[in-house]
Structures are given as structure tokens and as C-alpha cells.
Amino acid sequence: MKTTTKLNILATASGVLSLLLGIAAALVCAYAFTKAGMPYNEEGNYFDGVTVHHAGSEYVYGVLGLSFGVFALVAGLGAYWLFKRAAVAWQGRKPADAVGS
């Protein structure tokens, strides 16, 4: 397999990973925000009408969501860097090499 093909596959995989992590980050942060707005019951825990949730877990979900966001950003920057590197490698090929492939 050619170097540019490997770089494009890695860049695509990194881009998909970035997209999935970004979606997960948005969902987890939205859940943390929703959970932070729940009222308290008599014991000091969150109560949404059906289930009692432990107080303080919204902070854990918030940190988890933000860390997913950081990982998504790193994966996105990696995908960008790999796509640029593949483009440079493709342009650096000689015309004789491009005809044979």
C-alpha cells in the first residue's frame, strides 16, 4: 500500500474518532447540565420525579464531557495534520510515479 493511502486511511479514522468523541462530549455535557438543574429532595440528593441521583455526580459528568471534548480536539487536529501530510506526500511524487500507479 502506498504511503499516501496509509496516511489518508489514518486521517479518515482519526476524523471519524474525532466526530464520535465530539458527539459523546456534547451528550455527556448536556446530561451534566440537565442533571445540575434538578431539584433536591429531603436527603440532599437530586430527584427528578422518578429516580434519586447522588449529589455531586454532575461534576464528574462535566469533567468527563470536557475530557471527551479535549480528546475530540486532539483527534481532529491529528486528522488535519495527517491529511496535510498526505497531500504534501502526493504532490511530492514524480510524474513518472503517478503514471504507474
Side-chain angles (χ1 to χ4, degrees), residues 41-54:
N41 66 359
E42 301 83 34
E43 291 87 25
N45 292 327
Y46 292 109
F47 183 67
D48 64 356
V50 178
T51 307
V52 175
H53 302 273
H54 296 290

Side-chain angles (χ1 to χ4, degrees), residues 2-95:
K2 304 268 188 221
T3 303
T4 55
T5 305
K6 290 179 186 177
L7 288 173
N8 280 329
I9 290 171
L10 285 174
T12 303
S14 182
V16 169
L17 178 67
S18 174
L19 180 67
L20 292 176
L21 284 172
I23 291 170
L27 290 176
V28 172
C29 285
Y31 182 69
F33 184 74
T34 302
K35 193 168 187 150
M38 289 182 187
Y40 287 107
N41 66 359
E42 301 83 34
E43 291 87 25
N45 292 327
Y46 292 109
F47 183 67
D48 64 356
V50 178
T51 307
V52 175
H53 302 273
H54 296 290
S57 62
E58 69 275 4
Y59 300 116
V60 175
Y61 286 122
V63 168
L64 183 66
L66 290 176
S67 63
F68 278 167
V70 168
F71 292 145
L73 181 66
V74 168
L77 290 174
Y80 174 75
W81 180 73
L82 286 168
F83 272 126
K84 296 248 329 165
R85 190 169 167 194
V88 168
W90 179 258
Q91 290 173 355
R93 298 176 82 190
K94 296 177 185 174

